[in-house]
Amino acid sequence: MNYRHIYHAGNFADVLKHAVLARMIRYMQKKEGGFRVLDTHAGTGLYDLSSEEAQKTGEWLEGIGRLMEADLGPQVSELLEPYLSAIRELNPEGGIRFYPGSPKLARMLFRPQDRLSAMELHPEDYARLHRLFEGDHHARITELDGWLALGAHLPPKEKRGIVLVDPPFEEEDEYQRLAKGLERAYRRFPGGTYCLWYPLKKGAPIKEFHETLQSLDIPKMLCAELTVRSDRGITGLTGSGLVIVNPPFTLKDELHQLLPALKDHLAQDRFASHRAFWLRGENKTAAGD
């Protein structure tokens, strides 16, 4: 309840998460039928990077600030176009003042038949999120602990969906809670595509987290990780990862193009690295550096 994403909006972790979310949405739209995005920890939905909070950390300068100015090349530019075009749409006069959170980004990419369910527990953030989508019949905003949504709001009536789980990691057991939440949700909605975000930092139990996920009876789990700096001498975030359950068929190949480019443009020191690999299914070979 203490976490406020405005301090971190648009940072390198957001870039990875939102670039992949946009790719998943575009893949789902290859079929005519509508689908639902369920965002369990939605935040306020839209962030003013000129605000005192965002300026205090300046994390967006090392994330989306760099990416918008980067020479990405034609292939990577095409993959990032849905994501970056949404940011340009929010900032028609140029520059980057406004940055979309996951629910706003998803909504901007929707077709008329696609729907959003967004959960937020923090009272102030929920109020802002509710105002942002007030009157939008494509969006359902609920003041709710996102962990509960993994049971109560699945499966969606559309029978197709992306479930984004991006908890604040304020508690020590969040990695275990994330794995248990996935297990519970998957039993209710095994055909869904799940995207789980997690932080990389010194001492984080990543190996144990991955092993727990591998022990679940879930056939396909793809993992993508981006590290932007060494963890030597610091205790904060050095990178982030995504676990994608039932990933789009094209996503692994897209990650092989996206991750090297993100590493090159977002690296904060020479220890930056990336990897994409299967936790379950396909094969277990990691790709990266």
Side-chain angles (χ1 to χ4, degrees):
M1 289 292 289
N2 295 319
Y3 179 86
R4 308 300 294 277
H5 193 64
I6 182 60
Y7 291 98
H8 313 288
N11 69 0
F12 66 85
D14 263 4
V15 168
L16 174 63
K17 175 178 62 182
H18 291 151
V20 171
L21 175 62
R23 295 311 312 161
M24 292 192 297
I25 288 172
R26 283 293 182 250
Y27 183 84
M28 295 285 283
Q29 291 171 338
K30 291 180 183 237
K31 291 185 177 180
E32 183 61 29
F35 62 92
R36 185 171 295 269
V37 171
L38 172 62
D39 192 338
T40 63
H41 298 77
T44 65
L46 184 65
Y47 301 94
D48 184 347
L49 300 182
S50 70
S51 68
E52 181 180 350
E53 296 92 340
Q55 291 293 317
K56 184 175 181 179
T57 61
E59 289 187 17
W60 68 274
L61 294 168
E62 300 293 321
I64 192 59
R66 286 194 191 181
L67 195 66
M68 292 294 283
E69 300 296 326
D71 182 6
L72 298 169
Q75 290 182 316
V76 174
S77 293
E78 182 177 356
L79 291 175
L80 289 174
E81 179 57 26
Y83 167 46
L84 298 183
S85 65
I87 297 171
R88 287 192 289 266
E89 184 178 338
L90 288 172
N91 298 277
E93 297 180 0
I96 314 171
R97 177 180 175 183
F98 296 106
Y99 184 82
S102 303
K104 179 65 172 178
L105 174 64
R107 181 65 185 92
M108 293 179 74
L109 298 179
F110 277 177
R111 306 164 301 176
Q113 62 267 45
D114 304 327
R115 296 292 185 270
L116 170 71
S117 290
M119 316 296 158
E120 178 53 47
L121 184 60
H122 193 289
E124 292 179 28
D125 287 357
Y126 164 75
R128 293 182 63 184
L129 183 68
H130 187 270
R131 287 195 298 270
L132 181 65
F133 288 102
E134 191 169 8
D136 186 343
H137 300 296
H138 291 78
R140 182 172 63 182
I141 311 303
T142 307
E143 188 174 7
L144 182 70
D145 183 343
W147 296 112
L148 299 177
L150 293 176
H153 289 258
L154 292 175
K157 65 179 182 180
E158 294 83 3
K159 307 302 181 186
R160 300 177 64 224
I162 297 170
V163 181
L164 176 65
V165 188
D166 177 19
F169 279 83
E170 291 182 306
E171 306 294 334
E172 291 184 2
D173 66 344
E174 290 280 55
Y175 293 94
Q176 294 80 6
R177 197 176 188 186
L178 190 56
K180 290 179 181 178
L182 171 63
E183 183 179 25
R184 183 172 68 254
Y186 187 82
R187 285 198 299 265
R188 295 182 62 89
F189 185 35
T193 295
Y194 296 83
C195 184
L196 317 179
W197 181 89
Y198 60 94
L200 299 175
K201 54 186 177 180
K202 190 171 185 177
I206 304 303
K207 183 174 183 293
E208 294 81 0
F209 175 55
H210 286 171
E211 289 174 349
T212 299
L213 291 174
Q214 287 170 333
S215 71
L216 303 179
D217 188 21
I218 298 176
K220 286 191 176 183
M221 285 189 280
L222 179 64
C223 187
E225 291 183 346
L226 174 67
T227 299
V228 298
R229 59 182 176 178
S230 168
D231 62 7
R232 298 174 186 176
I234 65 170
T235 57
L237 194 69
T238 60
S240 70
L242 299 171
V243 172
I244 304 102
V245 173
N246 296 330
F249 176 75
T250 54
L251 187 59
K252 180 71 180 300
D253 288 340
E254 292 177 353
L255 288 172
H256 286 326
Q257 298 183 61
L258 285 173
L259 288 175
L262 294 180
K263 188 209 78 169
D264 289 346
H265 293 294
L266 304 183
Q268 297 180 18
D269 65 26
R270 64 186 180 90
F271 296 100
S273 64
H274 66 88
R275 61 177 183 158
F277 59 98
W278 291 98
L279 281 172
R280 287 286 303 269
E282 298 294 333
N283 59 68
K284 300 284 181 27
T285 304
D289 63 9

